[in-house]
């Protein structure tokens, strides 16, 4: 069991920056992929960035060059620079665990990011 809590969201003007944090309590065996997703009303939750425990980060095309994922399984960050209004969404922290042939997803409750024009 793992509990995830996001923080750092807020209102920012276009071109500004925010850093989201995800604090995790608990441990998970097996391979972990950590990441950030975002969701707007009526839209499917979409990948923003992922960070496999032993691999390179992967970013959505829409955020490449602007967002940076970092941290570890205890504390993960998403540095968001050059924010655009279309980045407005609820951002969710995700830990994905692969263990004994199954995939387990753990989610935080989300933090609102609003980018004004």
């Amino acid at each position: 069991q793992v509990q995830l809590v996001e923080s750092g969201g807020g209102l920012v003007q276009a071109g500004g920056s925010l850093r989201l944090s995800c604090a995790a309590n608990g441990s998970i065996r097996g391979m972990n992929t950590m990441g950030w997703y975002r969701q707007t009303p009526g839209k499917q939750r979409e990948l923003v960035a992922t960070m496999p425990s032993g691999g390179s980060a992967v970013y959505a095309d829409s955020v490449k060059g602007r967002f940076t994922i970092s941290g570890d399984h205890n504390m993960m960050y998403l540095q968001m620079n050059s924010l655009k209004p279309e980045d407005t969404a609820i951002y969710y922290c995700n830990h994905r665990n692969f263990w004994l042939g199954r995939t387990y997803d753990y989610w935080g409750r989300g933090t609102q990011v609003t980018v004004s024009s």
Side-chain angles (χ1 to χ4, degrees):
Q1 179 177 318
V2 62
Q3 299 177 48
L4 307 176
V5 180
E6 305 96 336
S7 62
L11 175 64
V12 64
Q13 294 185 52
S17 298
L18 286 172
R19 190 180 76 160
L20 306 183
S21 299
C22 174
N25 292 300
S27 62
I28 306 172
R29 288 198 175 196
M31 182 175 292
N32 259 324
T33 297
M34 300 168 287
W36 291 93
Y37 292 72
R38 66 187 182 188
Q39 188 171 26
T40 56
K43 299 291 184 180
Q44 184 178 356
R45 191 171 298 183
E46 66 176 2
L47 169 72
V48 176
T50 61
M51 183 175 61
S53 59
S56 300
V58 176
Y59 297 92
D61 288 342
S62 59
V63 307
K64 285 181 179 177
R66 300 188 297 119
F67 291 10
T68 303
I69 187 171
S70 63
D72 57 28
H73 66 283
N74 292 123
M75 185 67 69
M76 183 176 63
Y77 304 97
L78 183 68
Q79 179 66 47
M80 305 186 295
N81 298 326
S82 302
L83 283 162
K84 304 174 181 180
E86 49 263 46
D87 295 318
T88 296
I90 300 175
Y91 284 71
Y92 296 90
C93 175
N94 169 259
H95 281 206
R96 180 165 291 166
N97 177 243
F98 306 91
W99 179 245
L100 299 178
R102 292 187 177 184
T103 301
Y104 302 86
D105 274 311
Y106 301 90
W107 300 93
R109 296 183 68 183
T111 184
Q112 177 71 48
V113 172
T114 303
V115 184
S116 64
S117 301

